[in-house]
Amino acid sequence: MEEGYQKESLIKNITELEKEEQLVKNIIKTREELKNNNKNFDSADSELVDYYIYQIKANQAKLDYLIKLAKVKGISIDNINQLKYSNYEEEIS
């Protein structure tokens, strides 16, 4: 049980700036996933069309939510569009 409390306290120690950075990274990641889903849908076999439709709808709903959350926090969407994707790629590697 004690481990659960430690994990929760670590989450609470994240600063607002770090939360905003994570939100921006999630927006960028979701936007890229949505682009990939659209590309895959264009070249999908008939058996996978439904799958990609589902993925596109899910990622679009997620992106809409994240952008709404960013606007509530006062994060400019124009700044997100100008961010370089390199920071996100470094985390993946």
Side-chain angles (χ1 to χ4, degrees):
M1 289 272 185
E2 217 170 286
E3 281 185 35
Y5 294 118
Q6 289 175 348
K7 289 180 183 177
E8 290 176 7
S9 65
L10 290 176
I11 292 172
K12 291 179 183 178
N13 289 335
I14 295 175
T15 66
E16 277 301 311
L17 181 60
E18 291 170 331
K19 288 179 185 177
E20 288 179 5
E21 287 175 0
Q22 286 296 322
L23 178 60
V24 169
K25 288 177 184 178
N26 283 330
I27 289 172
I28 293 169
K29 179 183 174 191
T30 305
R31 186 173 57 190
E32 290 301 314
E33 288 174 358
L34 185 58
K35 286 179 188 177
N36 288 333
N37 292 144
N38 282 314
K39 287 178 188 176
N40 290 334
F41 174 78
D42 290 339
S43 62
D45 293 333
S46 61
E47 296 174 2
L48 290 175
V49 169
D50 289 339
Y51 170 77
Y52 286 115
I53 290 172
Y54 171 80
Q55 290 294 316
I56 290 168
K57 286 182 179 183
N59 279 320
Q60 186 62 56
K62 182 179 178 182
L63 185 61
D64 291 344
Y65 170 76
L66 292 173
I67 289 173
K68 181 179 176 182
L69 191 60
K71 286 181 181 179
V72 167
K73 290 183 178 252
I75 300 171
S76 172
I77 302 304
D78 290 333
N79 291 340
I80 293 171
N81 289 330
Q82 294 173 359
L83 287 175
K84 294 193 180 206
Y85 196 67
S86 61
N87 289 339
Y88 172 70
E89 289 176 343
E90 289 172 4
E91 287 185 2
I92 292 176
S93 303

